[in-house]
Amino acid sequence: MKKEAVFSLWLILAGIFWTANYFYFSTYLEKSFYTFLVLSVIYLFFKILLQEKIAKTIKDKKTKYSFSKVISVLYIAVFVIILITIWVENPQDITVAYGLAGAGIAISLQDLFKNIAGGVVLFLSGIYRVGDRIEINEKAGDVMDIGILYTTILEIKDWVSGDQATGRLVSIPNGQILSNSVNNYTKDHNFIWDELHIPIAYSNDWKLAHDSILDIVKVQTKETVEQATKEIAGLEEKYYLDKRTAEPAIYLTSTDNWISFNIRYPTEVRNRRFLRDKITRLVLEELAQKKIKIASTTLDIVGFPDVTKKENQK
């Protein structure tokens, strides 16, 4: 049903109650008339004028979505306040009753109120917003919707390797942000650090391997490093953060069997798996071309000793 049809329905109902009250005066009929009249007015203002007309002029999808959600919440809040004003004649007489009823409801519906409180905190603090990639209570994904009670995310990870979607939509109670830590991958910046671990045998020229791999990583992450450097500068202005570099690096660790190359580089949050795959392929091709062997725990049996069974002679 279109919004204009709903508005017309509220006006018709207001007219019906006004007519009924005109011929058969009743306090309830009068209050019903005012209720539907007020509902019509605020529906016209919030749903048709603001949400339908003004929201259409907003080009950015995320801003448009947030604006519509705020309008919906304000619409409900204003209607409830006016409804109480119309139907409650003497609020002081029922304050105690409301208090007792509210206490009972608060105890029985504490999880509900916790979720509502979490929704309010999200709205005021902006811990995460629609479009952010978050992880909370071992659930990770891209935020698709933030409601009063629940946050809906498109799940990533779980049984799927890498940071790719499983296809499931997960509803997370907003109250969880009050008692759990929230990992936000995209707030204030859009990159993370990733690492590759490659074991190189001691028999190889490890310096050549180091320089070859680092050259590949620098070329593949050049644009990401430039963007990350700008975003780090922004973080330093907003938070307390020591001066840091976004340049890729390789850290070596000596083990009993090989030299472990720990390759560290920045990557865009949603591009981590693709960049890792590309760098891995290029590194393998480069190492093969330069005859540099990757170490392995696999044992190659190249021969057996000549064992001759001798029979004991009596």
Side-chain angles (χ1 to χ4, degrees), residues 61-176:
K61 291 183 178 180
K62 186 181 294 186
T63 304
K64 183 177 181 180
Y65 170 84
S66 301
F67 180 79
S68 298
K69 296 293 287 187
V70 170
I71 294 303
S72 296
V73 173
L74 289 176
Y75 166 72
I76 295 174
V78 171
F79 177 69
V80 170
I81 292 172
I82 296 178
L83 190 66
I84 293 175
T85 304
I86 293 174
W87 286 92
V88 178
E89 297 180 355
N90 192 357
Q92 293 181 351
D93 294 340
I94 59 173
T95 300
V96 176
Y98 274 172
L100 294 175
I105 293 174
I107 294 174
S108 60
L109 300 177
Q110 55 182 326
D111 290 338
L112 175 65
F113 289 129
K114 184 178 180 181
N115 291 339
I116 294 176
V120 173
V121 171
L122 284 173
F123 176 76
L124 296 177
S125 64
I127 296 176
Y128 57 78
R129 304 183 186 279
V130 172
D132 284 351
R133 174 163 290 185
I134 66 169
E135 182 176 6
I136 178 172
N137 200 20
E138 300 183 355
K139 284 294 181 182
D142 296 321
V143 178
M144 300 179 65
D145 180 72
I146 302 175
I148 293 296
L149 301 177
Y150 294 93
T151 292
T152 302
I153 66 172
L154 177 62
E155 184 187 48
I156 62 172
K157 299 182 179 180
D158 206 86
W159 69 82
V160 177
S161 300
D163 298 340
Q164 291 184 292
T166 64
R168 295 193 304 191
L169 299 183
V170 180
S171 296
I172 301 176
N174 290 336
Q176 289 198 12

Side-chain angles (χ1 to χ4, degrees), residues 20 30 47 89 113 304:
E30 183 181 20
K47 291 294 185 178
E89 297 180 355
F113 289 129
F304 293 94

Side-chain angles (χ1 to χ4, degrees), residues 7 10 34-44 75 79:
F7 172 69
W10 299 147
Y34 285 122
T35 298
F36 285 105
L37 179 63
V38 168
L39 181 59
S40 301
V41 172
I42 64 174
Y43 191 89
L44 174 65
Y75 166 72
F79 177 69

Side-chain angles (χ1 to χ4, degrees), residues 234-269:
L235 290 177
E236 292 173 352
E237 294 179 0
K238 185 174 182 179
Y239 304 101
Y240 173 76
L241 183 67
D242 293 334
K243 194 69 177 178
R244 302 189 177 211
T245 178
E247 292 291 335
I250 299 178
Y251 301 95
L252 307 183
T253 303
S254 178
T255 69
D256 293 338
N257 302 306
W258 54 67
I259 302 174
S260 179
F261 280 53
N262 303 303
I263 309 163
R264 177 177 168 86
Y265 57 89
T267 175
E268 292 182 5
V269 171

Side-chain angles (χ1 to χ4, degrees), residues 193-194 196 207 209-229 245-251 262-267 275 278-280 282-283 286:
W193 288 95
D194 194 20
L196 279 174
K207 292 183 179 180
H210 176 278
D211 294 340
S212 300
I213 295 174
L214 188 58
D215 287 342
I216 292 174
V217 177
K218 283 185 176 181
V219 170
Q220 297 303 317
T221 61
K222 181 180 178 181
E223 294 182 1
T224 305
V225 169
E226 292 176 356
Q227 183 62 32
T229 300
T245 178
E247 292 291 335
I250 299 178
Y251 301 95
N262 303 303
I263 309 163
R264 177 177 168 86
Y265 57 89
T267 175
L275 183 59
K278 187 175 183 179
I279 290 177
T280 300
L282 293 174
V283 168
E286 183 70 13

